[in-house]
Amino acid sequence: MAEIKVDCRGETCPVPLVEVRKALRKAAPGDVIEVVGTHPASKKEIPMAVEALGLELLSVEGTDTDWTIRIRR
Amino acid sequence: MADRVTIVLHSGDMDKIYSALIIGNGALAMGMEATIFFTFWGLQRLRKDNALSLPKGGLEKGPLSKMHMLGLGKLMIEQRMDKANVASLEKLMADFKELGGKIIACEMTMEIMGLSREDLREDLIDDYGAVGTYIQEARESAITLFI
């Protein structure tokens, strides 16, 4: 199972959400996506998208302006 | 009810194209389907960028809906957007297409404006249609917007 890194630091709405979705589409079931970012709203919204997609949210760490989110496809 | 967003993009204003593409991308990112129906002034944004054409064609060529001030306002907003690292409309459109978003061009607008398919960016357009196409999409959409 691969671990895929997505770097969205400095990116703003809607790029972090879109980049996570693009990475998830390319990932195989079981792969882990780790996304780092600095956009505050995305820290809340990426977990919302993960739930809507029925995937597993592994962790949300860091501050609103410097966070790491891990997702299992 | 399908998990779909259908947007009618009537405006060709730059800020409103941003709204349509951001909402469309958000929907796709969150697992919904998305369709944008380009009509009237919105369709001008799907025209090939041709310096001689009036009104101007091209995705990035729309005026601001407010405070355009002969382009000065747009220039100022573009600088602020650049500073905030906002994605270009071309990138948002490429992402929208990559995530499976659908673009429909309004055939009646093409007739009124004297546009043929060759005048438009056919690589971006999935389908050509009229109001019936919109209604069929919208009746199966959880969200439909007119921008």
Side-chain angles (χ1 to χ4, degrees):
Chain A
M1 263 165 268
E3 178 148 337
I4 299 152
K5 305 255 186 206
V6 180
D7 187 351
C8 290
R9 284 173 294 186
E11 301 289 355
T12 189
C13 171
V15 175
L17 264 181
V18 168
E19 292 304 323
V20 167
R21 184 74 175 118
K22 280 156 79 171
L24 284 168
R25 278 163 61 102
K26 286 179 194 138
D31 284 355
V32 171
I33 314 266
E34 184 180 282
V35 48
V36 292
T38 53
H39 179 238
S42 297
K43 189 191 178 201
K44 277 189 303 186
E45 292 182 357
I46 290 169
M48 284 158 66
V50 171
E51 195 191 338
L53 294 165
L55 302 175
E56 187 186 348
L57 186 66
L58 298 174
S59 64
V60 180
E61 283 163 8
T63 63
D64 281 357
T65 53
D66 182 13
W67 43 259
T68 303
I69 297 173
R70 287 165 59 83
I71 305 154
R72 194 190 324 270
R73 157 92 205 262
Chain B
M1 187 81 68
D3 220 5
R4 185 189 295 162
V5 179
T6 301
I7 297 170
V8 177
L9 182 60
H10 180 275
S11 171
D13 294 339
M14 176 255 234
D15 40 330
K16 298 193 179 185
I17 313 277
Y18 263 104
S19 293
L21 280 171
I22 288 173
I23 293 168
N25 271 311
L28 293 167
M30 299 189 83
M32 297 180 85
E33 294 174 31
T35 299
I36 306 179
F37 195 94
F38 281 71
T39 184
F40 233 83
W41 306 115
L43 190 66
Q44 307 310 313
R45 301 284 77 80
L46 289 184
R47 280 173 48 204
K48 288 175 184 157
D49 192 356
N50 177 344
L52 295 174
S53 61
L54 264 178
K56 267 189 190 165
L59 203 53
E60 313 271 0
K61 292 297 166 73
L64 272 189
S65 64
K66 285 193 167 49
M67 304 209 298
H68 183 61
M69 301 185 291
L70 300 169
L72 193 64
K74 182 180 174 182
L75 201 69
M76 281 165 62
I77 290 284
E78 275 174 342
Q79 283 171 352
R80 310 275 303 233
M81 288 171 98
D82 231 32
K83 221 167 156 188
N85 203 22
V86 175
S88 68
L89 289 170
E90 287 291 347
K91 174 182 163 40
L92 291 176
M93 177 61 94
D95 286 342
F96 182 79
K97 297 291 296 180
E98 184 180 338
L99 291 179
K102 217 162 100 181
I103 300 288
I104 301 178
C106 172
E107 283 183 318
M108 191 174 84
T109 305
M110 290 169 66
E111 210 175 302
I112 295 169
M113 308 269 181
L115 298 169
S116 63
R117 292 187 181 191
E118 298 80 67
D119 296 322
L120 301 174
R121 292 175 63 184
E122 294 175 88
D123 53 315
L124 298 178
I125 299 169
D126 295 281
D127 205 356
Y128 299 80
V131 66
T133 312
Y134 164 69
I135 292 295
Q136 281 306 100
E137 293 270 337
R139 80 191 318 167
E140 288 175 2
S141 300
I143 301 171
T144 180
L145 300 171
F146 185 92
I147 296 178

